[in-house]
Amino acid sequence: MWRDVIEGDARWSCEAADCLEWLRALPSNAVDVLFCSPPYTAARDYAEAQAARESAVWVRWMRPIVVEACRVAGVVFLNVSDQVKDGCYQNGPEWLHADLTRLDGLVAVRPYIWAKQGPEFDDAGNGIPGSGGDHYHRNDYEPVYGYARPGGLPPKWTDNLAFGQPPKYAAGGKTRVRDQAGGRRIRNVEYVPPAVSNPGNVIRVGVGGGRLGHPIAHHGEAPMPLAVAERFVCWYCPPDGIVADCFSGSGTTCHASVMHGRRFIGCDLRQSQVDLCARRLRTVTPNLVPA
Protein backbone atom coordinates (compact mmCIF):
# COMPACT_ATOMS: atom_id res chain seq x y z
CA MET A 1 0.00 0.00 0.00
CA TRP A 2 1.07 3.60 -0.58
CA ARG A 3 1.10 4.24 3.18
CA ASP A 4 3.98 1.77 3.52
CA VAL A 5 6.07 4.08 1.32
CA ILE A 6 4.90 7.50 2.53
CA GLU A 7 4.73 6.61 6.22
CA GLY A 8 7.02 3.57 6.43
CA ASP A 9 10.23 2.12 5.07
CA ALA A 10 8.97 0.47 1.88
CA ARG A 11 10.70 1.56 -1.34
CA TRP A 12 7.78 1.08 -3.68
CA SER A 13 4.13 0.13 -3.90
CA CYS A 14 1.80 -0.54 -6.84
CA GLU A 15 -1.81 -1.51 -6.27
CA ALA A 16 -4.93 -2.24 -8.30
CA ALA A 17 -7.22 0.78 -8.09
CA ASP A 18 -9.16 3.34 -10.08
CA CYS A 19 -6.77 6.24 -10.64
CA LEU A 20 -9.09 9.02 -9.44
CA GLU A 21 -10.17 7.16 -6.30
CA TRP A 22 -6.54 6.31 -5.57
CA LEU A 23 -5.44 9.93 -5.93
CA ARG A 24 -8.26 11.20 -3.72
CA ALA A 25 -7.08 8.92 -0.91
CA LEU A 26 -3.57 10.40 -0.91
CA PRO A 27 -2.56 13.33 1.32
CA SER A 28 -1.89 16.70 -0.26
CA ASN A 29 1.75 17.29 -1.22
CA ALA A 30 2.47 13.60 -0.66
CA VAL A 31 4.87 13.17 -3.58
CA ASP A 32 7.46 15.22 -5.43
CA VAL A 33 6.51 14.41 -9.01
CA LEU A 34 3.81 12.39 -10.74
CA PHE A 35 4.77 11.12 -14.18
CA CYS A 36 2.34 9.02 -16.19
CA SER A 37 1.27 7.91 -19.64
CA PRO A 38 -2.53 7.65 -19.61
CA PRO A 39 -4.54 5.89 -22.33
CA TYR A 40 -4.38 7.76 -25.63
CA THR A 41 -8.11 8.47 -26.17
CA ALA A 42 -9.58 5.67 -28.33
CA ALA A 43 -6.25 4.30 -29.54
CA ARG A 44 -6.52 1.13 -27.41
CA ASP A 45 -9.24 -0.47 -25.31
CA TYR A 46 -6.81 -2.18 -22.87
CA ALA A 47 -8.97 -5.33 -22.70
CA GLU A 48 -11.02 -5.47 -19.51
CA ALA A 49 -10.15 -1.87 -18.60
CA GLN A 50 -12.33 -0.63 -21.51
CA ALA A 51 -10.27 2.56 -21.59
CA ALA A 52 -10.98 3.65 -25.17
CA ARG A 53 -12.68 7.07 -25.18
CA GLU A 54 -13.30 9.50 -28.00
CA SER A 55 -11.39 12.75 -27.56
CA ALA A 56 -14.14 14.91 -26.00
CA VAL A 57 -15.12 12.15 -23.55
CA TRP A 58 -11.45 11.52 -22.77
CA VAL A 59 -10.92 15.20 -21.88
CA ARG A 60 -13.88 15.18 -19.45
CA TRP A 61 -12.48 12.02 -17.88
CA MET A 62 -8.89 13.29 -17.58
CA ARG A 63 -9.56 16.80 -16.20
CA PRO A 64 -10.42 15.82 -12.61
CA ILE A 65 -7.60 13.26 -12.61
CA VAL A 66 -4.96 15.88 -13.45
CA VAL A 67 -6.42 18.44 -11.02
CA GLU A 68 -6.34 15.86 -8.24
CA ALA A 69 -2.83 14.80 -9.22
CA CYS A 70 -1.68 18.41 -8.85
CA ARG A 71 -3.05 18.46 -5.30
CA VAL A 72 -0.98 15.39 -4.48
CA ALA A 73 2.26 16.19 -6.34
CA GLY A 74 4.49 19.22 -6.65
CA VAL A 75 4.47 18.86 -10.43
CA VAL A 76 2.62 16.50 -12.78
CA PHE A 77 3.69 15.31 -16.23
CA LEU A 78 1.54 13.55 -18.83
CA ASN A 79 2.95 11.73 -21.83
CA VAL A 80 -0.12 11.95 -24.09
CA SER A 81 -1.10 11.97 -27.74
CA ASP A 82 -4.17 11.44 -29.91
CA GLN A 83 -5.12 9.61 -33.08
CA VAL A 84 -5.50 10.58 -36.68
CA LYS A 85 -9.06 9.74 -37.74
CA ASP A 86 -10.30 10.15 -41.31
CA GLY A 87 -7.11 12.06 -42.03
CA CYS A 88 -7.63 14.55 -39.17
CA TYR A 89 -5.70 14.76 -35.91
CA GLN A 90 -8.19 14.67 -33.00
CA ASN A 91 -6.63 17.24 -30.58
CA GLY A 92 -7.58 15.58 -27.28
CA PRO A 93 -4.37 16.51 -25.39
CA GLU A 94 -4.55 20.08 -26.67
CA TRP A 95 -8.18 20.45 -25.57
CA LEU A 96 -7.23 19.05 -22.18
CA HIS A 97 -4.30 21.46 -21.91
CA ALA A 98 -6.55 24.43 -22.68
CA ASP A 99 -9.18 23.37 -20.13
CA LEU A 100 -6.67 22.70 -17.36
CA THR A 101 -4.95 26.06 -17.77
CA ARG A 102 -7.89 28.32 -18.72
CA LEU A 103 -10.71 26.75 -16.71
CA ASP A 104 -8.99 24.96 -13.82
CA GLY A 105 -6.22 27.53 -13.36
CA LEU A 106 -3.33 25.07 -13.38
CA VAL A 107 0.12 26.43 -14.16
CA ALA A 108 1.71 24.95 -17.26
CA VAL A 109 5.31 23.82 -17.59
CA ARG A 110 6.80 24.39 -21.04
CA PRO A 111 6.02 21.10 -22.85
CA TYR A 112 8.69 18.53 -23.52
CA ILE A 113 9.06 16.67 -26.78
CA TRP A 114 9.91 12.98 -26.87
CA ALA A 115 11.59 12.53 -30.26
CA LYS A 116 11.35 8.87 -31.18
CA GLN A 117 14.36 7.22 -32.74
CA GLY A 118 13.46 3.74 -33.87
CA PRO A 119 15.83 1.06 -35.18
CA GLU A 120 14.64 1.82 -38.72
CA PHE A 121 15.97 5.41 -38.54
CA ASP A 122 19.36 6.47 -39.84
CA ASP A 123 21.48 9.22 -38.27
CA ALA A 124 19.55 11.87 -40.20
CA GLY A 125 16.22 10.64 -38.83
CA ASN A 126 15.06 9.14 -42.12
CA GLY A 127 12.66 6.25 -41.64
CA ILE A 128 12.00 3.18 -43.70
CA PRO A 129 10.32 3.77 -47.07
CA GLY A 130 6.55 3.69 -46.87
CA SER A 131 6.23 4.53 -43.17
CA GLY A 132 3.58 7.13 -42.32
CA GLY A 133 0.30 7.44 -44.20
CA ASP A 134 -1.09 8.40 -47.59
CA HIS A 135 -1.98 11.95 -46.52
CA TYR A 136 0.31 12.71 -43.59
CA HIS A 137 3.88 12.23 -42.44
CA ARG A 138 5.07 9.58 -40.02
CA ASN A 139 4.71 10.83 -36.43
CA ASP A 140 8.20 10.98 -34.92
CA TYR A 141 7.38 12.61 -31.58
CA GLU A 142 5.03 12.72 -28.62
CA PRO A 143 4.50 15.67 -26.26
CA VAL A 144 4.88 15.58 -22.50
CA TYR A 145 2.74 18.25 -20.82
CA GLY A 146 3.52 19.47 -17.30
CA TYR A 147 1.28 21.13 -14.68
CA ALA A 148 1.32 22.49 -11.17
CA ARG A 149 -1.41 23.87 -8.93
CA PRO A 150 -2.46 27.53 -9.14
CA GLY A 151 0.23 29.78 -7.73
CA GLY A 152 3.17 28.38 -9.65
CA LEU A 153 5.70 25.63 -9.38
CA PRO A 154 6.64 24.69 -5.81
CA PRO A 155 10.07 25.72 -4.52
CA LYS A 156 11.23 22.12 -4.53
CA TRP A 157 14.43 20.47 -5.57
CA THR A 158 15.12 19.98 -9.27
CA ASP A 159 18.20 18.92 -11.18
CA ASN A 160 17.91 20.25 -14.71
CA LEU A 161 21.45 19.17 -15.57
CA ALA A 162 20.78 15.47 -15.08
CA PHE A 163 21.42 13.64 -18.36
CA GLY A 164 23.33 16.66 -19.64
CA GLN A 165 26.66 16.21 -21.40
CA PRO A 166 29.90 18.23 -21.51
CA PRO A 167 29.75 20.89 -24.22
CA LYS A 168 30.61 19.51 -27.63
CA TYR A 169 32.53 22.57 -28.78
CA ALA A 170 35.11 24.76 -27.05
CA ALA A 171 34.52 28.45 -26.44
CA GLY A 172 34.74 30.47 -29.64
CA GLY A 173 35.51 33.91 -28.23
CA LYS A 174 33.54 36.74 -26.69
CA THR A 175 29.77 37.03 -26.43
CA ARG A 176 27.58 40.12 -26.13
CA VAL A 177 25.48 40.52 -22.96
CA ARG A 178 23.31 43.28 -21.54
CA ASP A 179 24.11 44.72 -18.12
CA GLN A 180 22.02 43.19 -15.34
CA ALA A 181 21.02 46.50 -13.71
CA GLY A 182 18.40 47.33 -16.32
CA GLY A 183 20.78 49.51 -18.31
CA ARG A 184 20.99 49.54 -22.04
CA ARG A 185 24.74 49.13 -22.22
CA ILE A 186 25.86 45.98 -23.99
CA ARG A 187 29.36 44.69 -23.40
CA ASN A 188 31.54 41.89 -24.68
CA VAL A 189 32.56 39.20 -22.21
CA GLU A 190 34.61 36.05 -22.50
CA TYR A 191 32.35 33.02 -22.84
CA VAL A 192 33.08 30.28 -20.31
CA PRO A 193 31.33 27.02 -21.23
CA PRO A 194 29.62 25.08 -18.42
CA ALA A 195 31.00 21.78 -17.25
CA VAL A 196 27.67 20.16 -18.19
CA SER A 197 25.27 21.54 -20.76
CA ASN A 198 21.58 21.79 -20.02
CA PRO A 199 20.06 18.84 -21.95
CA GLY A 200 17.05 20.84 -23.17
CA ASN A 201 13.42 19.85 -23.54
CA VAL A 202 13.73 17.56 -26.58
CA ILE A 203 14.20 13.99 -25.31
CA ARG A 204 15.76 11.82 -27.99
CA VAL A 205 15.10 8.24 -27.00
CA GLY A 206 14.98 5.10 -29.12
CA VAL A 207 11.90 2.93 -29.46
CA GLY A 208 11.37 -0.64 -30.56
CA GLY A 209 14.00 -3.23 -31.21
CA GLY A 210 14.22 -4.31 -27.57
CA ARG A 211 15.17 -0.80 -26.44
CA LEU A 212 12.42 -0.33 -23.85
CA GLY A 213 14.68 -0.98 -20.86
CA HIS A 214 13.36 -4.35 -19.68
CA PRO A 215 12.51 -7.65 -21.42
CA ILE A 216 8.96 -7.89 -20.05
CA ALA A 217 8.03 -4.30 -20.86
CA HIS A 218 6.57 -5.69 -24.10
CA HIS A 219 3.97 -7.59 -22.07
CA GLY A 220 2.06 -4.32 -21.68
CA GLU A 221 -0.01 -2.95 -24.58
CA ALA A 222 1.69 0.45 -24.83
CA PRO A 223 5.09 0.30 -23.11
CA MET A 224 7.20 3.43 -22.72
CA PRO A 225 11.01 3.39 -22.95
CA LEU A 226 12.62 3.43 -19.53
CA ALA A 227 14.86 6.29 -20.65
CA VAL A 228 11.88 8.65 -20.97
CA ALA A 229 10.65 8.03 -17.41
CA GLU A 230 14.21 8.32 -16.07
CA ARG A 231 14.40 11.95 -17.17
CA PHE A 232 11.42 13.12 -15.15
CA VAL A 233 12.34 11.01 -12.14
CA CYS A 234 15.84 12.51 -11.97
CA TRP A 235 14.93 16.03 -13.06
CA TYR A 236 12.02 16.60 -10.69
CA CYS A 237 12.41 14.29 -7.69
CA PRO A 238 15.23 14.60 -5.13
CA PRO A 239 17.18 11.54 -4.04
CA ASP A 240 14.98 9.42 -1.73
CA GLY A 241 11.97 11.54 -2.70
CA ILE A 242 8.70 10.03 -3.87
CA VAL A 243 7.53 9.55 -7.46
CA ALA A 244 3.97 8.57 -8.38
CA ASP A 245 2.29 7.10 -11.46
CA CYS A 246 -1.48 6.58 -11.48
CA PHE A 247 -1.34 4.67 -14.80
CA SER A 248 1.50 2.37 -13.84
CA GLY A 249 1.11 -0.16 -16.69
CA SER A 250 4.16 -2.38 -17.02
CA GLY A 251 5.97 -0.53 -14.22
CA THR A 252 8.31 1.70 -16.23
CA THR A 253 8.12 4.71 -13.88
CA CYS A 254 8.47 2.43 -10.86
CA HIS A 255 11.56 0.83 -12.41
CA ALA A 256 13.13 4.25 -13.10
CA SER A 257 12.37 5.48 -9.57
CA VAL A 258 13.82 2.50 -7.72
CA MET A 259 16.83 2.28 -10.02
CA HIS A 260 17.70 5.93 -9.32
CA GLY A 261 17.23 5.84 -5.56
CA ARG A 262 13.74 7.34 -5.36
CA ARG A 263 10.68 5.83 -3.73
CA PHE A 264 7.54 5.08 -5.72
CA ILE A 265 3.79 4.75 -5.31
CA GLY A 266 1.48 3.83 -8.14
CA CYS A 267 -1.69 2.13 -9.25
CA ASP A 268 -3.27 0.57 -12.29
CA LEU A 269 -6.87 -0.40 -12.88
CA ARG A 270 -5.94 -3.95 -13.83
CA GLN A 271 -4.47 -6.46 -11.42
CA SER A 272 -2.63 -8.05 -14.36
CA GLN A 273 -0.58 -4.86 -14.78
CA VAL A 274 0.12 -4.62 -11.05
CA ASP A 275 1.40 -8.20 -11.17
CA LEU A 276 3.53 -7.32 -14.21
CA CYS A 277 5.06 -4.39 -12.33
CA ALA A 278 5.87 -6.67 -9.39
CA ARG A 279 7.55 -9.21 -11.69
CA ARG A 280 9.62 -6.46 -13.24
CA LEU A 281 10.70 -4.91 -9.95
CA ARG A 282 11.94 -8.23 -8.64
CA THR A 283 14.79 -7.86 -11.14
CA VAL A 284 15.66 -4.24 -10.26
CA THR A 285 18.30 -3.51 -7.60
CA PRO A 286 17.35 -0.41 -5.57
CA ASN A 287 19.94 2.35 -5.46
CA LEU A 288 20.01 3.31 -1.80
CA VAL A 289 22.79 5.88 -2.23
CA PRO A 290 21.57 7.99 -5.18
CA ALA A 291 23.68 10.79 -6.59
Side-chain angles (χ1 to χ4, degrees), residues 47-163:
E48 71 269 21
Q50 298 182 346
R53 295 172 173 86
E54 294 300 327
S55 298
V57 176
W58 180 86
V59 171
R60 291 196 295 271
W61 173 65
M62 281 296 301
R63 271 185 67 191
I65 294 172
V66 181
V67 170
E68 195 66 19
C70 285
R71 177 190 65 82
V72 169
V75 62
V76 172
F77 290 98
L78 313 176
N79 172 214
V80 288
S81 190
D82 207 335
Q83 303 178 92
V84 171
K85 184 177 180 181
D86 298 326
C88 300
Y89 176 66
Q90 297 300 294
N91 290 299
E94 290 73 24
W95 293 343
L96 175 65
H97 182 75
D99 284 356
L100 290 171
T101 53
R102 297 176 62 192
L103 303 180
D104 298 313
L106 298 185
V107 174
V109 178
R110 184 184 292 275
Y112 289 84
I113 294 295
W114 164 25
K116 299 179 178 180
Q117 298 177 330
E120 71 277 14
F121 293 82
D122 61 22
D123 290 339
N126 298 311
I128 59 175
S131 58
D134 293 337
H135 302 290
Y136 53 89
H137 290 91
R138 179 193 64 241
N139 182 36
D140 286 349
Y141 81 95
E142 292 184 9
V144 180
Y145 291 101
Y147 305 97
R149 349 185 232 284
L153 290 169
K156 286 194 174 182
W157 181 95
T158 59
D159 181 6
N160 62 359
L161 296 183
F163 299 96

Side-chain angles (χ1 to χ4, degrees), residues 213-214 226 251-260 264 277 280-281 283-284:
H214 197 281
L226 177 65
T252 302
T253 307
C254 184
H255 181 165
S257 302
V258 171
M259 181 175 69
H260 287 286
F264 174 85
C277 177
R280 180 172 182 167
L281 265 293
T283 67
V284 177

Side-chain angles (χ1 to χ4, degrees), residues 14 216 249 270-280 282:
C14 185
I216 68 171
R270 295 179 294 167
Q271 184 63 48
S272 61
Q273 298 302 103
V274 174
D275 295 341
L276 181 59
C277 177
R279 285 174 52 204
R280 180 172 182 167
R282 282 197 286 270

